[in-house]
Amino acid sequence: MDAILEMRGITKEFPGVKALDRVNLAVRRGEIRALVGENGAGKSTLMKVLSGVYPAGSYEGEILYEGQPMAFRGIADSEARGIIIIHQELALVPELSIAENIFLGNEIARYGVIDWPETRRRTASLLAKVGLRENPDTRVEDLGLGKQQLVEIAKALSKKVRLLILDEPTSSLNERDSEALLDLLVELKTREGLTAILISHKLNEVSRVADSLTVLRDGTTVASRDMSDSSYGEGEIIRDMVGRSMSDRYPPRTPRIGDTVMEVADWRVHHPTHRDRLVVKGVNFHLRQGEVLGIAGLMGAGRTELAMSLFGRSYGQGISGTVRIHGRPADLSTIPRAIRAGLAYATEDRKGLGLVLADSIRRNVPLANLDAVARAGVVDEHREAGVAEDYRARVNIKCASIEQETVNLSGGNQQKVVLSKWLFADPDILILDEPTRGIDVGAKFEIYSIIAALAAQGKSIIVISSEMPELLGITDRLYVMNEGRFVGELPTADATQEKIMAMIVTSGDQTHGPGETIRA
């Protein structure tokens, strides 16, 4: 085997936790190797060992790169050898141009002065390699997420990358941008001999582009296979990831749907800075007790904007329309009033908006209902700890203790803390925006089970998701949104991905009245 990389017997310990236990990973030159496992399995820790974030001496085991033993002391060391990591959270400076971002820290200079003409020329050449035609002077903040991801790859190419590591590269991309990125990865492998490690929870992506696969579970290597082996499919990968068979990825449930709980009529929302731009265009919908209602649509359709504007007008301006909850007009004009009206909103951006990452689980869980853990306006730490311990057990938050900082939890466990925060507020209506983004299949099943249990208790739930199989697997009824309007409604039992996409594609050619929908 012509291995460009071998990691042998890698063991990494933190106080009280063995994150990696004698992990082995081998990557052949010119291949795409997928690295999969549940959140917390050790994938990111292993890549931090490889890149020098955890420097030589802080772990046991050895790293051989291009046949030579390596002892990286930091990221600069690994990058100098052509090992480049593109993280899930992009490391671009939005206010700077594409050219400035690509050569940031690696500037092209003559006599101590940046050579801008040469910088722009090389940037244009790199952009052409990744299929972008943007002007090198375009600011990164003016690009969509898909193009930003391609800029990150161009930046890696500028550093003469030999081993590219992509950590969940499509987690924030729509289907079209995801396909373009994966096609580019295969093209770079074929055209330039690029070697890559792809970390992904999306097994369809792994099956599509990976030549081989390594599975980590609980900090150990449990499988290493060639994807050409037809006997090793998604079911076998999931079994290795979670340690058990998951023949059904969605928990069974028998819906018990009651009367209408929430009615929204002619809801209109203008852009927060461009008042003349209508983002949500006369939406009408209703939600019933015990119902799991899905909102499908492409990225940019207005789903998150709708949800945030309903939740205390936390998005937009010039908002109009009416909301009735339990048959009475509801005041949702501020977030505290929305919470008192029985609403909760779990944001798609759990790290930026859903959690105080530097704080503990104990501090995060009661945040949406502090009055319930306070005496005379002062938080009672014993009550706070009791609530956190209760929800730790209820939703199975895997952690060393409730004093653990949420920043150190896996994505799935962070999401459970977000859900715990809103469940403690005891809402009647939960809006869950991309509730399983960046979460592995095992943790997804746990989140789905929580949703099913809440619906069984009579809670009403709205799920926004870019994963159509997820919506088809857990919801009772679907609305389809496109360009700020609801363009379709149908029972999930009658829905297919093809029907949903047909509603989206054909809606642009049809004229509707305010909030009018096409029914399947």
Side-chain angles (χ1 to χ4, degrees), residues 88-102:
Q88 188 173 351
E89 288 82 21
L90 301 182
L92 300 172
V93 182
E95 297 81 8
L96 297 184
S97 69
I98 296 173
E100 289 168 323
N101 269 282
I102 286 178

Side-chain angles (χ1 to χ4, degrees), residues 88-123:
Q88 188 173 351
E89 288 82 21
L90 301 182
L92 300 172
V93 182
E95 297 81 8
L96 297 184
S97 69
I98 296 173
E100 289 168 323
N101 269 282
I102 286 178
F103 290 100
L104 187 63
N106 189 30
E107 289 80 7
I108 302 169
R110 291 185 179 182
Y111 309 110
V113 178
I114 293 176
D115 186 339
W116 288 113
E118 180 63 12
T119 298
R120 292 185 181 95
R121 187 191 68 77
R122 289 199 201 176
T123 298

